[in-house]
Amino acid sequence: MKVEFAPLNIPLRRRLQTAAVLQWVFSFLALAQCCLAAFVLLALSDWWMVALLYAGWLWLDWDTPTSGGRRSRWVRSWTVWEYFRDYFPITLVKTVDLDPKKNYIFGFHPHGLVSSCKSSLSYLVSRPEGGNVAVIAVGGAPEALDARPGALTLQIRNRKGFIKLAFKHGAQLVPVFSFGENELFDQMENPSGSSLRMLQNRLQSIMGVALPLFHARGVFQYSFGLIPYRKSIHTVVGRPISVAQTPSPSSEDIESLHKVYLQSLTELFEQHKHTYGYSEDQHLTFI
């Protein structure tokens, strides 16, 4: 394999963008394991009291991730996030204004490598003051196994939990499609029925998370590695679908709203696909 190295005269700004993405890749793949190893080492050392205090705090703080988290304006203002955004770059495209007095569920497509928690979503969209948005990757873990450049297959036909959640809390449904999302990584070929896909499905059923064997570029070369490609991402937020609060929706209610959502998502993709590099014969496939 021929290795394509990055030029030496790349501007500092682009180097900092790559560093910002590198820290995200490290956080996603290895930060939890490093923290666990540090905890074990502390527990087995003379500093065991620090590990004990941390374990106590962890127990007291256990529900925080599912009840709004802990926002920090200081952390959110870090320049690293600007470099991270500009690496791709990422653009958020708003098609309509949203009423700040209402709560919304954004159905995000296609699936990247991010999971969702039902209790966390419920906490956000049940707050009576409104102005909250819960984003759910509807395709779930199985869709991540099909995420590769050019892929437009969405696992959504049998996924109706987010529809029930919208009915339960009267949250407005908003289809969202991120053009360019699947272009960030390549993935080893794993067609349905292959040994690799069967192994991935088995591990997913045991652990609850998908394990796609993805790859892209490196820090100083463009031929292999785990850093995503520099591809533009345009996340288009569609028009909200009005949902009346129904604590116990019927099967017909759920099926009807689900069809409306699929139609809205299809229209959103078809309306914007030419703008972001898709051809006329490319369409979404729902499975």
Side-chain angles (χ1 to χ4, degrees):
M1 179 181 67
K2 182 179 179 181
V3 178
E4 181 185 359
F5 288 96
L8 295 176
N9 60 345
I10 286 181
L12 177 61
R13 172 181 55 84
R14 287 175 64 89
R15 293 294 190 192
L16 291 174
Q17 291 169 1
T18 302
V21 174
L22 180 61
Q23 67 81 27
W24 174 83
V25 172
F26 167 77
S27 298
F28 180 76
L29 295 178
L31 182 59
Q33 294 87 333
C34 290
C35 291
L36 179 60
F39 175 80
V40 172
L41 290 175
L42 283 172
L44 298 176
S45 70
D46 293 338
W47 295 83
W48 62 268
M49 182 60 71
V50 175
L52 181 63
L53 291 173
Y54 176 78
W57 176 81
L58 181 64
W59 180 74
L60 293 173
D61 195 60
W62 191 259
D63 293 330
T64 297
T66 59
S67 56
R70 185 181 294 104
R71 283 194 173 194
S72 169
R73 287 186 176 274
W74 176 63
V75 173
R76 288 164 63 88
S77 68
W78 287 356
T79 306
V80 65
W81 309 126
E82 297 179 11
Y83 284 122
F84 181 90
R85 176 200 62 201
D86 294 339
Y87 172 90
F88 299 97
I90 301 174
T91 305
L92 185 66
V93 181
K94 183 177 70 170
T95 58
V96 296
D97 291 329
L98 301 181
D99 186 347
K101 296 181 180 179
K102 296 180 180 179
N103 292 320
Y104 298 87
I105 294 178
F106 282 14
F108 184 87
H109 311 271
H111 192 290
L113 304 166
V114 182
S115 61
S116 302
C117 173
K118 182 179 178 180
S119 57
S120 179
L121 295 173
S122 296
Y123 174 85
L124 288 174
V125 298
S126 64
R127 302 179 74 178
E129 68 272 18
N132 295 288
V133 173
V135 182
I136 178 170
V138 179
E143 191 172 290
L145 296 178
D146 290 318
R148 55 174 44 85
L152 291 173
T153 300
L154 307 181
Q155 299 214 16
I156 191 174
R157 287 203 180 276
N158 297 319
R159 295 186 175 271
K160 297 170 183 161
F162 72 109
I163 301 291
K164 297 178 184 178
L165 192 67
F167 269 125
K168 180 180 179 180
H169 300 289
Q172 312 301 290
L173 276 175
V174 181
V176 178
F177 194 88
S178 195
F179 293 88
E181 180 89 6
N182 278 342
E183 318 307 314
L184 302 182
F185 293 97
D186 289 313
Q187 185 175 171
M188 287 186 63
E189 290 296 326
N190 59 342
S192 297
S194 65
S195 299
L196 176 58
R197 188 58 168 262
M198 288 189 290
L199 175 61
Q200 289 174 321
N201 290 336
R202 179 59 177 166
L203 292 174
Q204 178 192 315
S205 66
I206 295 173
M207 300 185 296
V209 294
L211 295 174
L213 298 180
F214 61 92
H215 58 92
R217 53 157 292 189
V219 178
F220 302 110
Q221 46 75 29
Y222 302 138
S223 301
F224 59 89
L226 297 178
I227 296 180
Y229 297 121
R230 278 185 183 267
K231 301 288 186 179
S232 297
I233 303 173
H234 301 276
T235 302
V236 183
V237 181
R239 183 179 299 274
I241 302 168
S242 181
V243 180
Q245 187 169 13
T246 310
S248 300
S250 65
S251 298
E252 292 76 16
D253 292 333
I254 294 172
E255 191 65 33
S256 177
L257 182 56
H258 190 258
K259 289 181 179 178
V260 172
Y261 180 84
L262 292 184
Q263 181 61 34
S264 297
L265 177 59
T266 300
E267 292 174 356
L268 179 69
F269 176 80
E270 292 295 328
Q271 181 181 355
H272 295 276
K273 68 179 184 180
H274 300 106
T275 304
Y276 302 116
Y278 289 81
S279 63
E280 181 61 34
D281 60 350
Q282 289 182 286
H283 307 283
L284 296 180
T285 300
F286 300 141
I287 62 175

